[in-house]
Amino acid sequence: PAVAERMRAAIEGIAISIDGGAPARISASFGVTCVDAVSGEENIDALLSRADLALYEAKAAGRNKVAVYREG
């Protein structure tokens, strides 16, 4: 989660100006998960599914957030 948080903060600090207009701020939300260290039985589909669930949680929490998938 620390890497995702650093990425989120860096993106939040970016201001984009188009055609000399007022700068627009952007934000990003991240869903984080990890391989099951106990069983080691993982596949990419399971990892992406859990990361996706965590991403929806981050967006539901107000966007511009990092959420970690927690079992249960």
Side-chain angles (χ1 to χ4, degrees):
V3 172
E5 179 57 34
R6 287 195 305 267
M7 290 171 52
R8 188 211 55 78
I11 291 169
E12 180 182 41
I14 297 171
I16 298 173
S17 182
I18 299 173
D19 294 331
R25 298 269 178 201
I26 60 173
S27 64
S29 294
F30 293 87
V32 179
T33 191
C34 62
V35 173
D36 185 347
V38 176
S39 70
E41 295 178 12
E42 290 294 339
N43 62 55
I44 191 68
D45 291 329
L47 288 170
L48 290 175
S49 178
R50 291 197 312 256
D52 195 44
L53 289 171
L55 177 58
Y56 281 109
E57 180 183 324
K59 288 181 177 185
R63 301 191 178 207
N64 199 29
K65 307 278 184 188
V66 174
V68 179
Y69 176 84
R70 305 254 188 246
E71 196 75 33

